[in-house]
């Protein structure tokens, strides 16, 4: 049997909530569990006629790392000097992803509500001699005007976005029976609306510049595929199920638009390596979903 309760590292801090209060940010960084491996192809649905099916990858952390050999690294050459946006880059998964992309020679705009940690990471990357650049940007993702202003600045200063990594997420312990409407709205605004706004603006940025090989990556959670028993996770889980649906809907809309921009949903332990693996695949390969699940049985 799979473990029922989701394993996660919970961080408390001012960055997690919008206005003090009790809140959490969740991160899968640092987890190391073995995983079941396999590659499956989705059967084409009624709206996928004439198109190759997406690939769903089910693999372990060690396998993802193993695939990041010479071939995968070579596949990153086409992204060198291009721009990636990483939301929630002040710590955890977002910081790890930003660092990994800078190591591969990309220009990375890392955004969060507070940028002190991102500025420190940018200095570390520069001192380490990484070929890319990390650009800190302050953005409150619960505020659409902040998001639009950020994309406008990226457009004017750096041409536009080629990769959008929607990593930022917020979890608050507001149950369905007694939770606060404010807490629900905060989670929905960050986990669903901000992700959707960034996706829309990134796509528009790519289309305006005729970029047809861009990539939109949504960092999800296993809570987006199951509903854990703890009551305080239920609304959070609902927002993550929305991310699963939004990613598949995005994939379908991109196909309908005959675009080669790709959409991927990631839920592994080592997200940074998985991001590099997904980006390093050839432009004609669509990896729709990567999951890494523990194989140990629990009694």
């Amino acid at each position: 049997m799979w473990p029922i309760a989701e394993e996660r590292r919970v961080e408390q801090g001012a960055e997690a909530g919008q206005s003090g209060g009790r809140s959490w940010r969740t991160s899968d960084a640092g987890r190391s569990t073995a995983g079941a491996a396999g590659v499956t192809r989705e059967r084409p649905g009624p709206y996928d006629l004439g198109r190759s099916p997406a690939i769903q990858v089910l693999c372990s952390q060690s396998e993802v790392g193993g695939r990041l050999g010479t071939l995968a690294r070579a596949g990153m050459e086409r992204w060198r000097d291009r721009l990636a946006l990483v939301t929630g880059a002040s710590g955890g998964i977002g910081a790890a992803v930003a660092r990994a992309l800078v190591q591969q020679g990309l220009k990375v705009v890392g955004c969060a509500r507070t940028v002190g940690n991102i500025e420190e990471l940018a200095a570390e990357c520069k001192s380490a001699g990484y070929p890319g650049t990390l650009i800190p940007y302050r953005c409150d993702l619960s505020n659409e005007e902040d998001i639009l202003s950020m994309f406008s600045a990226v457009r004017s200063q750096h041409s536009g976005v080629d990769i959008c990594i929607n990593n930022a997420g917020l979890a608050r312990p507001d149950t369905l029976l007694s939770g606060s409407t404010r807490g629900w709205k905060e989670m929905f605004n960050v986990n669903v609306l901000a992700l959707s706004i960034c996706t829309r603006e990134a796509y528009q940025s790519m289309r305006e510049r005729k970029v047809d090989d861009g990539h939109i990556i949504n960092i999800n959670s296993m809570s987006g595929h199951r509903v854990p028993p703890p009551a305080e996770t239920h609304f959070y889980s609902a927002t993550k199920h929305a991310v699963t649906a939004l990613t598949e809907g995005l994939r379908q809309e991109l196909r309908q638009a005959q675009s080669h921009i790709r959409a991927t949903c990631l839920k592994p332990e080592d997200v940074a390596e998985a991001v590099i693996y997904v980006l390093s695949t050839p432009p004609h390969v669509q990896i729709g979903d990567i999951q890494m699940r523990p194989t140990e049985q629990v009694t």
Side-chain angles (χ1 to χ4, degrees):
M1 295 176 60
W2 298 114
I4 297 177
E6 179 175 17
E7 300 174 36
R8 60 183 180 179
R9 178 167 57 84
V10 180
E11 301 174 336
Q12 279 189 292
E15 179 85 9
Q18 296 292 325
S19 56
R22 189 181 175 203
S23 57
W24 285 269
R25 284 183 301 166
T26 61
S27 171
D28 291 327
R31 292 167 53 187
S32 60
T33 55
V39 177
T40 62
R41 290 185 180 272
E42 301 171 353
R43 291 185 178 180
Y47 301 103
D48 292 332
L49 296 178
R51 313 201 61 167
S52 61
I55 297 175
Q56 182 184 60
V57 180
L58 197 64
C59 54
S60 69
Q61 179 180 355
S62 60
E63 284 181 300
V64 172
R67 293 174 186 178
L68 287 175
T70 304
L71 183 60
R73 297 298 181 185
M76 289 298 294
E77 285 299 317
R78 69 188 181 91
W79 294 113
R80 186 174 287 266
D81 295 325
R82 297 178 70 178
L83 191 135
L85 170 68
V86 180
T87 68
S90 61
I93 289 174
V97 170
R99 180 193 295 272
L101 293 177
V102 172
Q103 286 178 306
Q104 295 299 313
L106 280 77
K107 291 189 293 184
V108 180
V109 173
C111 74
R113 289 188 306 163
T114 56
V115 295
N117 289 347
I118 306 177
E119 291 171 344
E120 291 179 8
L121 179 58
E124 291 175 13
C125 291
K126 185 175 181 180
S127 298
Y130 296 156
T133 305
L134 177 57
I135 305 160
Y137 194 95
R138 184 196 175 282
C139 180
D140 182 351
L141 290 165
S142 66
N143 185 325
E144 182 176 12
E145 292 305 315
D146 262 26
I147 299 175
L148 297 181
S149 176
M150 175 177 64
F151 274 91
S152 178
V154 170
R155 182 182 299 108
S156 62
Q157 298 173 26
H158 307 285
S159 180
V161 173
D162 299 302
I163 300 168
C164 179
I165 300 178
N166 291 307
N167 164 73
L170 174 66
R172 291 182 61 92
D174 287 288
T175 69
L176 300 179
L177 296 182
S178 60
S180 69
T181 304
R182 182 176 185 176
W184 294 340
K185 286 182 177 179
E186 288 176 352
M187 284 186 277
F188 189 82
N189 285 342
V190 174
N191 299 354
V192 179
L193 288 184
L195 177 145
S196 299
I197 295 168
C198 288
T199 295
R200 179 190 67 199
E201 296 304 310
Y203 171 72
Q204 295 296 334
S205 174
M206 296 174 198
R207 192 178 68 167
E208 289 169 3
R209 295 174 295 120
K210 301 187 185 305
V211 171
D212 198 39
D213 66 341
H215 211 132
I216 298 170
I217 298 175
N218 294 331
I219 308 301
N220 204 344
S221 164
M222 289 310 299
S223 288
H225 290 265
R226 63 188 182 195
V227 180
E232 64 271 15
T233 68
H234 290 161
F235 194 92
Y236 168 78
S237 180
T239 66
K240 291 302 181 178
H241 274 73
V243 172
T244 301
L246 288 168
T247 307
E248 175 57 19
L250 173 63
R251 186 182 71 84
Q252 292 182 15
E253 289 191 26
L254 289 170
R255 285 191 167 191
Q256 188 174 25
Q258 297 184 335
S259 171
H260 294 98
I261 296 170
R262 297 181 290 178
T264 302
C265 191
L266 294 182
K267 299 166 290 300
E269 280 76 8
D270 197 330
V271 177
E273 285 195 349
V275 166
I276 300 301
Y277 171 66
V278 167
L279 291 174
S280 68
T281 57
H284 66 277
V285 175
Q286 166 69 57
I287 296 179
D289 194 62
I290 291 184
Q291 301 182 43
M292 298 178 73
R293 301 174 177 175
T295 56
E296 292 91 346
Q297 292 188 347
V298 295
T299 58

